């Protein structure tokens, strides 16, 4: 099983190399024009994530596949001495310090200092005379090393996704001591083989560890992409997070720009008029997400096409909706509409008749929609009867917040305009009392009721993608004309990376 796992990893490394060398991304002269989503991670977030670097480095050392080292040297009096180091593996590892620096338009520079690593294996050696060669001595060995690592990771576009290239990797050895059979005191055998193999061993360690680090960097980039792609997908609705331009590395932040096109069955989404500019985002928070008005509009359209914008209300919810006011006029209107039928034998259905239109403004998210409502009663022993049907255009401004891992939607001002009105209690439609009553319950109770249903549904959807695993601090949802900004500070869930490494390696 271990051999099969290594074969799979080796094959995957070859595939990664082929993709890395063959894939290319082409962007137009104005890449920001097709930008629907932007992610900016500032230096404080990079410093936080760098704390997890130790896990990646440990995995790189642990999973590096060190080849056998063989050699032969001529020695005076002894003739030729041949040696071989086999079964090389990491026995213990500790990291003292890790630092990260963002190099403008270049790379993410990670300096890992004082990595103490112990390698173990078997040393086989013998003497070659003029007429024969004999290898007949084998001893266990341990190599004690002290190493500094320098890794310069470049971000690039590969098959329209963010890819990491950590091939610019250097190991500096401060100590490389060979111990034979646990013996710590220097002896002629130890001195002999230390001189022979130290240079070759350094090259092998550098090559294999750096290759493994580069492999893990690419795997982690793919992991983050898959995590993000899963977050913006629910059943048949998804968002294309392909890159719209080459990722940026600045002195104080990393930034990636994505197309943000909504994908849904045969629904075709096109976007080429983005208002994004890097100046719209600041550097005071750890993480920023910029979303265009177009992306939110397209998501609303996909939700409409997928028949998700439908709400059914019955029983106590229906009673609370129609008995918002305990007045004579309210009681009379309810009696006329429901004709004495119990709320438990009645049902109200609310649905969107057309694609909702979303407009992002400084005061909030403005949603405009043509909505239909019908109320039906089910008198015992009689056929169901629709007693009320209306179509109305509603425009409501909503402010959003994320508090205690819950999405909060707060409706502000709303406007309602009746387009169609049919009521069995008022066939002519000339009775203003019923219409005024309905106008009141729609604005005072109906809209808040719909929004209150959306809050837990959207919160549950986000939590199903793992958002609740992060400790998010002081999140802000800011709307401006044509776009929305989500900015926050966070703590990284440690087990997320550990789980990924364990499943992958």
């Amino acid at each position: 099983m271990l051999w099969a796992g290594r074969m799979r990893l080796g094959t995957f490394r070859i595939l990664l190399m082929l993709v890395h060398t063959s894939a290319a991304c082409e962007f137009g002269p104005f890449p920001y024009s097709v930008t629907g989503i932007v992610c900016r991670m500032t230096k404080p977030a990079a410093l936080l994530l760098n704390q997890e670097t130790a896990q990646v480095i440990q995995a790189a050392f642990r999973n590096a596949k060190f080849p056998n080292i063989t050699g032969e040297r001529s020695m005076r009096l002894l003739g030729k001495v041949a040696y071989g180091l086999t079964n090389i593996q990491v026995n213990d590892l500790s990291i003292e310090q890790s630092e990260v620096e963002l190099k403008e338009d270049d790379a993410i520079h990670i300096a890992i200092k004082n990595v103490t690593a112990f390698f173990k294996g078997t040393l086989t050696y013998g003497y070659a005379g003029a007429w024969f060669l004999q290898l007949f001595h084998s001893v266990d060995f341990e190599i004690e090393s002290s190493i500094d690592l320098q890794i310069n990771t470049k971000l690039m576009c590969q098959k329209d996704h963010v890819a990491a290239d950590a091939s610019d990797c250097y190991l500096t050895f401060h100590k490389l001591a060979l111990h034979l059979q646990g013996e710590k005191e220097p002896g002629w055998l130890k001195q002999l083989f230390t001189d022979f193999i130290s240079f070759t061993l350094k090259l092998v360690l550098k090559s294999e560890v750096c290759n493994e680090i580069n492999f893990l960097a690419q795997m982690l980039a793919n992991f983050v992409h898959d995590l993000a792609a899963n977050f913006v997908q629910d059943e048949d609705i998804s968002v294309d997070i392909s890159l719209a331009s080459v990722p940026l590395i600045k002195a104080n932040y990393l930034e990636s720009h994505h197309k943000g096109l909504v994908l849904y069955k045969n629904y075709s989404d096109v976007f080429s008029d983005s208002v994004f500019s890097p100046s719209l985002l600041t550097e005071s928070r750890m993480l920023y997400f910029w979303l265009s008005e177009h992306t939110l509009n397209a998501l609303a359209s996909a939700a409409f096409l997928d028949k998700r914008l439908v709400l059914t209300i019955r029983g106590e919810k229906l009673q609370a909706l129609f008995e918002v006011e305990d007045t004579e006029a309210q009681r009379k209107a309810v009696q006329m509409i429901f004709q004495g039928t119990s709320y438990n034998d009645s049902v109200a259905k609310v649905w969107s008749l057309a694609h909702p239109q979303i407009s992002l403004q400084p005061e909030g998210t403005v949603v405009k929609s043509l909505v239909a409502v019908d109320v039906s009663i089910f008198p015992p022993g009689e056929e169901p009867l629709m007693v009320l049907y209306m179509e109305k255009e509603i425009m409501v401004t909503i402010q959003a917040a994320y508090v205690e891992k819950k999405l909060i939607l707060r409706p502000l001002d709303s406007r309602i305009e009746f387009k169609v009105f049919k009521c069995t209690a008022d066939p002519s439609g000339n009775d203003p009392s019923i219409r005024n009553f309905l106008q009141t319950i729609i604005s005072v109770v109906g809209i808040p009721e719909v929004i209150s249903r959306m809050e837990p549904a959207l919160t549950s959807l986000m939590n199903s993608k793992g958002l609740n695993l992060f400790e998010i601090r002081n999140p802000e949802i800011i709307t401006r004309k044509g776009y929305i900004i989500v900015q926050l500070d966070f703590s990284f869930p440690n087990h997320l990376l550990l789980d990924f490494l364990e499943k992958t390696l």
Side-chain angles (χ1 to χ4, degrees):
M1 290 295 293
L2 179 60
W3 180 81
R6 289 183 178 178
M7 285 295 292
R8 286 195 295 269
L9 283 175
T11 302
F12 190 61
R13 283 185 178 89
I14 294 172
L15 291 175
L16 278 177
M17 291 175 63
L18 291 175
V19 169
H20 181 71
T21 55
S22 63
C25 302
E26 296 182 2
F27 304 109
F30 307 104
Y32 289 159
S33 65
V34 295
T35 296
I37 299 175
V38 177
C39 176
R40 174 178 289 189
M41 178 184 292
T42 60
K43 191 168 184 178
L47 293 172
L48 175 66
L49 293 177
N50 185 56
Q51 296 176 10
E52 309 302 316
T53 302
Q55 298 178 24
V56 178
I57 299 304
Q58 288 172 349
F61 273 87
R62 189 170 56 248
N63 291 280
K65 306 303 183 291
F66 301 105
N68 295 336
I69 299 173
T70 59
E72 187 178 83
R73 293 287 297 273
S74 296
M75 295 292 296
R76 184 178 300 177
L77 301 179
L78 293 177
K80 290 183 178 180
V81 177
Y83 63 89
L85 277 72
T86 59
N87 303 321
I88 304 174
Q89 55 186 295
V90 177
N91 191 33
D92 195 12
L93 179 75
S94 65
I95 297 175
E96 181 176 305
Q97 185 180 358
S98 180
E99 300 174 352
V100 64
E101 179 184 359
L102 305 181
K103 294 186 177 181
E104 185 91 9
D105 298 325
D106 184 19
I108 306 168
H109 176 70
I110 300 175
I112 303 168
K113 299 181 179 179
N114 293 333
V115 179
T116 301
F118 289 86
F119 302 87
K120 66 178 182 179
T122 302
L123 169 64
T124 303
Y125 66 94
Y127 313 105
W131 303 102
F132 63 91
L133 171 65
Q134 291 181 318
L135 297 175
F136 49 86
H137 291 292
S138 292
V139 295
D140 292 333
F141 70 84
E142 181 182 70
I143 298 171
E144 181 182 359
S145 66
S146 178
I147 309 169
D148 286 350
L149 282 81
Q150 293 184 11
I151 308 166
N152 295 311
T153 304
K154 295 182 181 294
L155 300 181
M156 59 188 64
C157 179
Q158 178 179 293
K159 285 194 171 181
D160 293 329
H161 300 156
V162 176
D165 179 7
S167 58
D168 189 3
C169 169
Y170 300 94
L171 270 65
T172 302
F173 289 84
H174 299 297
K175 181 179 182 181
L176 188 67
L178 176 67
H179 305 303
L180 302 177
Q181 294 181 321
E183 175 61 47
K184 304 298 181 181
E185 295 299 325
W188 72 268
L189 190 62
K190 174 183 170 184
Q191 182 67 42
L192 173 66
F193 285 108
T194 298
D195 291 342
F196 278 4
I197 68 177
S198 61
F199 179 75
T200 304
L201 186 60
K202 288 178 181 179
L203 292 180
V204 169
L205 293 179
K206 175 189 181 303
S207 174
E208 298 304 320
V209 170
C210 285
N211 285 343
E212 190 68 28
I213 289 173
N214 190 33
F215 167 71
L216 287 175
Q218 295 179 53
M219 289 288 292
L220 285 170
N222 292 337
F223 169 69
V224 171
H225 175 270
D226 293 344
L227 199 67
N230 178 64
F231 189 83
V232 292
Q233 178 175 3
D234 183 55
E235 296 181 359
D236 291 334
I237 301 175
S238 62
V239 178
D240 180 4
I241 57 171
S242 299
L243 286 176
S245 62
V246 177
L248 296 180
I249 299 179
K250 298 298 181 182
N252 294 317
Y253 64 84
L254 311 171
E255 188 171 279
S256 59
H257 315 101
H258 308 266
K259 294 176 181 178
L261 299 176
V262 173
L263 308 174
Y264 174 74
K265 295 182 177 178
N266 295 327
Y267 174 78
S268 180
D269 189 18
V270 180
F271 182 44
S272 59
D273 193 25
S274 177
V275 298
F276 175 74
S277 168
S279 62
L280 297 177
L281 302 179
T282 65
E283 302 171 13
S284 59
R285 306 298 298 275
M286 294 173 68
L287 194 60
Y288 293 82
F289 294 101
W290 183 96
L291 293 91
S292 71
E293 180 180 282
H294 174 89
T295 298
L296 295 181
N297 258 315
L299 281 171
S301 295
F304 167 76
L305 293 173
D306 203 43
K307 296 180 171 51
R308 300 192 184 196
L309 305 182
V310 180
L311 177 64
T312 301
I313 307 173
R314 52 169 53 93
E316 293 181 357
K317 288 287 186 180
L318 189 60
Q319 180 177 1
L321 185 65
F322 277 89
E323 295 185 358
V324 62
E325 295 178 341
D326 186 17
T327 63
E328 183 64 29
Q330 173 260 319
R331 289 191 290 270
K332 180 181 177 182
V334 169
Q335 179 64 29
M336 293 175 64
I337 294 171
F338 288 90
Q339 302 177 20
T341 303
S342 166
Y343 289 112
N344 291 328
D345 296 321
S346 308
V347 63
K349 181 182 177 182
V350 184
W351 71 97
S352 183
L353 289 168
H355 298 217
Q357 298 176 9
I358 294 178
S359 174
L360 297 174
Q361 303 293 334
E363 57 269 22
T365 302
V366 181
V367 181
K368 183 178 180 181
S369 183
L370 182 61
V371 177
V373 178
D374 78 41
V375 178
S376 298
I377 62 174
F378 302 84
E382 300 182 25
E383 291 294 320
L385 176 64
M386 186 175 72
V387 295
L388 176 66
Y389 177 83
M390 54 186 172
E391 296 176 5
K392 55 193 183 297
E393 188 176 79
I394 298 178
M395 186 163 65
V396 59
T397 301
I398 302 172
Q399 288 186 344
Y402 189 75
V403 181
E404 296 181 352
K405 299 189 177 183
K406 295 180 181 179
L407 180 66
I408 306 297
L409 302 175
R410 186 164 65 94
L412 301 179
D413 63 304
S414 60
R415 287 185 289 172
I416 302 169
E417 180 182 349
F418 286 93
K419 299 294 184 181
V420 176
F421 184 84
K422 298 176 182 179
C423 182
T424 56
D426 181 22
S428 65
N430 294 325
D431 187 345
S433 63
I434 293 181
R435 188 172 298 202
N436 290 339
F437 166 68
L438 293 172
Q439 181 93 8
T440 300
I441 67 171
I442 290 170
S443 59
V444 176
V445 181
I447 293 175
E449 171 67 18
V450 171
I451 290 176
S452 70
R453 298 284 188 97
M454 293 173 61
E455 287 176 341
L458 292 174
T459 298
S460 177
L461 176 61
M462 292 187 295
N463 288 344
S464 71
K465 307 299 183 178
L467 183 63
N468 57 326
L469 300 177
F470 291 80
E471 290 300 324
I472 297 176
R473 299 188 298 275
N474 303 320
E476 295 180 86
I477 303 175
I478 303 169
T479 54
R480 294 289 183 263
K481 185 173 177 58
Y483 62 91
I484 188 170
I485 297 173
V486 180
Q487 55 188 38
L488 53 94
D489 299 320
F490 71 97
S491 295
F492 191 78
N494 294 334
H495 65 86
L496 194 64
L497 185 57
L498 281 173
D499 290 347
F500 163 73
L501 291 173
E502 289 176 0
K503 291 177 182 178
T504 303
L505 303 174

